[in-house]
Every structure is written in C-alpha cells, then in structure tokens.
Amino acid sequence: MRNKCGNGAAPITSTADYASKFCVIIDAGHGGSDGGTVSGKIIEKDINLSVALKLKTILEDNNIEVILTRNSDEKMSLAQRTSVANDSNADFFISLHCNYYEDDAQIAGLECYYNSPDATESKAYAESIIHAVSLSNDVKTRDAKTENYYVLRNTQIPAVLVEMGFLSNYSESQKLLSDDYQEILAQRMAEGIFNKIKGDENS
Ligand SMILES: [Zn+2]
C-alpha cells in the first residue's frame, strides 16, 4: 500500500490533530544505478539521501509528517516519485539535488527551483527556503527561479527542487560531504518550510 499522510499509526489521543497534520514529501534525487552528478569519489545520490534523512528528522521533531520517496540507495523513476506525492494527501514536495557546472568551477551556492511564475505557492516556498538559507553564514545562496523539471511539472501539490550546491566547485563539494554542513543545510531548509507554513497560518 502506498504511504498516505494521515493514515499512519498515531496515538488515539491525538487522532484529530494527526488527521490535519502538515505532511511533506522529501525526494532524495537519483539512487541505485542512477548516481546523478559525480565528482571524483563524490556521488550526488548519497548526499541527497543523507540530507533528506536529516531534514526528515528535523521536520518530524517539529510535528510535521514526512514521507520519503526513497529511504535507501534504490533507483526510482521520476514518475514513481511524483506518484508518491500525488497518491498522498501531502501538503508540500521537496526534491533534493546537487548541481554541476562544467564551464565554471567557481560557481557555487544553493538554488531553489519552482515550476512557473503561476505556481505562486511553490514560488513562496522556494523564496522562503532561499531566505532562510541565506541567513546562514555557512551556506552561499543563489536565487529562487523557475525551471520546467519533470517532478515539479507533474506534482499536483506545491513543489520545489533544491540544488544544494555545486559538486563542480571543489570547496563546496567538500562541504557537501561534511555531516555538519549537511545538518546546517537541513536545518535551514526546514526553517524556510516552517516560516512559509507559519506565514500561511497568520494570514
Ligand atoms: Zn540531481
């Protein structure tokens, strides 16, 4: 059976809260025979999964329900990933990736993509995440911008794709391997998500 938000085993006393609990799909890009971007011994799929698991822990610690599209090193099609989102009752989809730019090894920084200017909810998440990450002294950020990615185009809930940094940039690639840096990334992205949710509650 497909994971469905709100259908898990929850304590009886909190059933009402549980039914309305905010639910996030975290998609660790690539997996299995699809390594994604590779730089030396650094394989994108491993960083994506590692940060996804850290982000999951932080969100769950803050009473947000999480579904992972993959929780191990397995290959999944893009259609399978969007199916996880579309078959759930989730509120938000976030796909995690690492970038590579062969023409300029100096380029660095985290980017966040949403599908189109019309996707106002997705755009708001993307901008909130970029803002939260930009407040960190540890992480360089670039922009929130549009891109017609499959997982964004075919996900029926607000969706963003985060390129967490450039493996083509040596120093950023070394940071992306570090557990501490991955923890900072996860914490900041989580704050961006929290701020967006709080903003909605207050408006
Ligand atoms: Zn990727």
Side-chain angles (χ1 to χ4, degrees), residues 30 36-37 44 48 97-98 163:
H30 312 283
T37 281
E44 181 194 348
N48 298 342
H97 287 259
C98 299
E163 294 280 4

Side-chain angles (χ1 to χ4, degrees), residues 53-97:
L53 293 170
K54 292 182 191 319
L55 179 58
K56 175 178 188 282
T57 300
I58 296 165
L59 295 180
E60 287 178 342
D61 286 348
N62 285 273
N63 206 32
I64 289 176
E65 193 178 347
V66 172
I67 295 174
L68 296 169
T69 56
R70 69 176 177 101
N71 60 10
S72 63
D73 185 20
E74 59 178 317
K75 186 169 183 181
M76 283 188 82
S77 70
L78 296 177
Q80 285 175 307
R81 294 167 196 269
T82 54
S83 289
V84 172
N86 294 335
D87 293 348
S88 72
N89 296 318
D91 301 283
F92 175 55
F93 175 95
I94 180 168
S95 186
L96 302 179
H97 287 259

Side-chain angles (χ1 to χ4, degrees), residues 51 69 125 170 198:
V51 178
T69 56
Y125 276 106
Y170 181 76
K198 278 188 228 142

